[in-house]
Amino acid sequence: MAEPFHCDVNSSLFMGYLGNCMLNAADFHSNERGIGVTYLNTIKKTWVISRLAIELNRMPKSYEDFYLETWTDRILRFFSSRNYAITDNDNNVYGYAKSIWAMINTETRQPVDLLQVRDSIITKYVEADYNCPIDKPSRVIMSDKAKYICTIDTHYSDLDLNGHVNSIRYIDHVLDLFNLDWHRSHTIKRFEIAYVVESHYGDKLNFYSEDIVPGETCIKITKTELNTGKDVEVCRCKLRYINN
Amino acid sequence: MAEPFHCDVNSSLFMGYLGNCMLNAADFHSNERGIGVTYLNTIKKTWVISRLAIELNRMPKSYEDFYLETWTDRILRFFSSRNYAITDNDNNVYGYAKSIWAMINTETRQPVDLLQVRDSIITKYVEADYNCPIDKPSRVIMSDKAKYICTIDTHYSDLDLNGHVNSIRYIDHVLDLFNLDWHRSHTIKRFEIAYVVESHYGDKLNFYSEDIVPGETCIKITKTELNTGKDVEVCRCKLRYINN
């Protein structure tokens, strides 16, 4: 259920909450198939999310039930594609999501060939024909005209169990760039995010925005590294929205 | 279950997540008894939380199940006392919480006599003998030596469905005042918070800290009001913690 204190000022489930439900679902689904982080940590490997696109007919409202279904529809050597469907009690669709994941070696941070893990066990769980009718996460293209918006510090509450800034937390921070009037008068139809590198506690996050066409805004996040002072791209987002 | 992406860098459930579970439980429990906000909104009344104390033996770790039980143990004319027990599958206790709630008229913001609502129906649901063996939320006493720490803006993600800064969100912000090393080397045993007035989108929140005795820190939050520029106390917290 979209419990009321996980909902926003419009009584809609927070997208960040939904996003963390998706990460949790991926975790359970892969662990139950023997290729989740519980096993991978024993062989010094882990999953990292590379891209995510969430597309919504509408967001669940407070007290509405929702179901989150996930499946893998495609495996390449270095990438796995995971889909999501968000539905209600009557199987009406709230929305879909698509995500791309890579497996890395936790010591070298290098990509791992998925087909080399547990005798390609992952290929047994591919459901290619189960429909997820939204566009794949695309490249988010921005010009050099993106406008600097603000810089924020990273805090304890930004971190996940790995000590990285939680992948979904960027969504919260991006949505916080838009003011309350905007949130009251707009509905987000699609949110996509392409991850470049992880950020850590102490990094400063810098936000740059570019309006592409009416109803579409791209946001680039860079980090100023605590130790080096270097400015490095962390991720890029593209939001598509409508006026209510 | 303490799902992994609701857990912090120590693999412990975020206290803010647990706190919102408590608000949700209070909402369901009171709605099921006909004195929740679903009914109260129809007569222009609502519940507001006045005090909260959470005391923990330990926080649930990632993948651990936890149960949240809530009951009302005392009704005064203008206050209701609600308890919580947090337990595991074997009924071992993670911790307890106590909260104090007032009912207000949503137009006048004045307190409402609980015994005047629905023929004192609330008194039917008092379970005075069910044990909640922790100290009540106390007055948080601070001197004028509290040290100014920082000021933060309020954003969309801070707001609940009523358009106020979510009562639990202050806990997140207070825990973000402590750095990562602190969180890795300390465990919070008790967190209490006394609410004074609500804050809103656009308010600036100012944090002041005072170490009372070793292992105890008080934090006062004030708001600089958007329209008037006035500095008004919002809430006070007291944390008790141990070195790991």
Side-chain angles (χ1 to χ4, degrees):
Chain A
M1 183 194 285
E3 298 187 343
F5 289 94
H6 296 141
C7 290
D8 73 1
V9 68
N10 299 318
S11 293
S12 297
L13 191 65
F14 274 115
M15 188 172 284
Y17 185 84
L18 179 64
N20 277 320
C21 289
M22 288 178 181
L23 296 189
N24 283 322
D27 187 80
F28 295 133
H29 183 265
S30 57
N31 272 330
E32 285 165 8
R33 282 154 190 78
I35 41 168
V37 292
T38 305
Y39 167 69
L40 292 180
N41 284 343
T42 68
I43 55 167
K44 303 202 164 102
K45 296 179 174 46
T46 195
W47 287 111
V48 291
I49 190 166
S50 168
R51 289 184 181 187
L52 173 65
I54 301 172
E55 199 166 313
L56 296 163
N57 300 323
R58 71 181 189 86
M59 189 64 99
K61 291 278 183 184
S62 56
Y63 301 110
E64 286 186 329
D65 289 335
F66 67 97
Y67 295 83
L68 185 59
E69 193 176 8
T70 186
W71 67 99
T72 300
D73 71 330
R74 196 165 176 223
I75 303 292
L76 297 174
R77 267 182 71 191
F78 294 109
F79 290 102
S80 154
S81 161
R82 173 178 292 286
N83 294 335
Y84 295 90
I86 310 134
T87 53
D88 71 7
N89 284 318
D90 301 316
N91 225 22
N92 298 314
V93 174
Y94 286 117
Y96 292 100
K98 282 182 177 279
S99 59
I100 305 289
W101 297 73
M103 195 183 286
I104 61 164
N105 180 304
T106 50
E107 287 176 342
T108 64
R109 310 304 286 176
Q110 291 302 303
V112 172
D113 182 342
L114 297 176
L115 305 180
Q116 300 295 315
V117 177
R118 285 205 155 174
D119 295 330
S120 308
I121 192 178
I122 195 170
T123 58
K124 278 174 53 184
Y125 301 114
V126 174
E127 295 171 270
D129 298 331
Y130 201 77
N131 199 21
C132 188
I134 63 167
D135 286 342
K136 280 191 292 198
S138 61
R139 276 192 64 205
V140 177
I141 297 165
M142 296 175 71
S143 76
D144 52 6
K145 298 205 180 74
K147 206 175 62 188
Y148 170 76
I149 304 292
C150 65
T151 296
I152 62 170
D153 290 313
T154 47
H155 297 106
Y156 157 77
S157 68
D158 290 312
L159 302 180
D160 65 17
L161 334 85
N162 302 309
H164 306 133
V165 171
N166 173 322
S167 321
I168 296 299
R169 192 69 167 166
Y170 300 111
I171 297 180
D172 293 330
H173 289 315
V174 164
L175 295 181
D176 276 346
L177 300 178
F178 296 83
N179 69 24
L180 181 56
D181 282 345
W182 189 93
H183 280 286
R184 285 198 157 130
S185 56
H186 293 78
T187 302
I188 295 167
K189 300 307 288 179
R190 183 176 163 101
F191 193 115
E192 62 185 285
I193 178 163
Y195 299 96
V196 184
V197 296
E198 288 152 344
S199 67
H200 302 87
Y201 181 83
D203 290 340
K204 286 183 183 298
L205 299 179
N206 313 299
F207 294 78
Y208 301 84
S209 165
E210 184 174 7
D211 291 334
I212 305 297
V213 292
E216 236 176 69
T217 298
C218 290
I219 309 279
K220 185 172 73 174
I221 308 179
T222 69
K223 62 175 176 180
T224 309
E225 287 184 318
L226 182 60
N227 300 326
T228 65
K230 275 199 303 189
D231 201 40
V232 177
E233 184 166 338
V234 170
C235 62
R236 288 182 183 201
C237 307
K238 186 156 92 176
L239 287 77
R240 214 173 65 211
Y241 45 83
I242 54 168
N243 261 61
N244 295 342
Chain B
M1 183 193 287
E3 299 187 341
F5 289 95
H6 296 139
C7 290
D8 73 1
V9 67
N10 299 317
S11 294
S12 297
L13 190 66
F14 275 115
M15 187 172 282
Y17 185 83
L18 178 64
N20 277 319
C21 289
M22 289 180 180
L23 296 190
N24 284 321
D27 188 80
F28 295 133
H29 183 265
S30 57
N31 272 330
E32 284 165 8
R33 283 154 189 78
I35 41 166
V37 292
T38 305
Y39 167 70
L40 292 180
N41 284 343
T42 67
I43 56 166
K44 301 198 165 113
K45 296 180 174 46
T46 195
W47 287 111
V48 292
I49 189 166
S50 167
R51 288 183 181 188
L52 173 65
I54 302 173
E55 198 165 315
L56 296 163
N57 301 322
R58 70 180 190 88
M59 189 63 100
K61 292 277 181 182
S62 55
Y63 300 111
E64 287 187 328
D65 289 336
F66 66 97
Y67 294 83
L68 185 60
E69 194 176 7
T70 186
W71 68 100
T72 299
D73 72 329
R74 197 165 176 223
I75 302 292
L76 297 175
R77 266 183 70 192
F78 293 109
F79 290 102
S80 154
S81 162
R82 173 179 293 286
N83 294 337
Y84 296 90
I86 310 135
T87 53
D88 71 7
N89 284 317
D90 301 316
N91 224 24
N92 298 312
V93 174
Y94 286 116
Y96 292 100
K98 282 182 179 279
S99 58
I100 306 289
W101 297 74
M103 196 183 286
I104 61 163
N105 180 305
T106 51
E107 286 176 343
T108 64
R109 311 303 286 176
Q110 291 302 303
V112 171
D113 182 344
L114 296 176
L115 304 180
Q116 299 295 316
V117 177
R118 284 205 155 176
D119 294 330
S120 309
I121 191 177
I122 194 169
T123 59
K124 278 175 52 184
Y125 302 114
V126 174
E127 295 172 271
D129 298 330
Y130 201 75
N131 199 21
C132 187
I134 64 167
D135 286 342
K136 280 191 294 198
S138 61
R139 273 192 66 204
V140 177
I141 297 165
M142 296 175 70
S143 76
D144 52 6
K145 297 204 179 74
K147 205 176 64 189
Y148 169 76
I149 305 291
C150 66
T151 296
I152 62 171
D153 290 313
T154 47
H155 295 107
Y156 157 76
S157 68
D158 290 312
L159 302 179
D160 65 15
L161 338 80
N162 301 310
H164 306 131
V165 171
N166 173 321
S167 321
I168 297 299
R169 191 70 166 165
Y170 300 112
I171 298 181
D172 293 330
H173 289 314
V174 164
L175 295 181
D176 276 346
L177 299 178
F178 296 83
N179 69 24
L180 181 56
D181 282 344
W182 189 93
H183 280 285
R184 285 199 158 129
S185 57
H186 293 76
T187 301
I188 295 168
K189 300 307 288 179
R190 183 175 163 102
F191 193 116
E192 62 185 284
I193 179 164
Y195 299 96
V196 184
V197 296
E198 288 152 343
S199 68
H200 302 87
Y201 181 84
D203 289 341
K204 286 182 184 298
L205 298 179
N206 314 298
F207 293 78
Y208 300 84
S209 166
E210 183 173 8
D211 292 333
I212 305 298
V213 293
E216 236 176 69
T217 298
C218 291
I219 308 280
K220 184 173 74 175
I221 308 179
T222 68
K223 63 175 176 180
T224 309
E225 287 184 319
L226 181 60
N227 298 327
T228 65
K230 276 200 302 189
D231 201 40
V232 177
E233 183 167 338
V234 171
C235 63
R236 288 182 183 203
C237 308
K238 185 156 90 175
L239 287 77
R240 213 174 66 211
Y241 44 83
I242 54 167
N243 262 62
N244 296 342

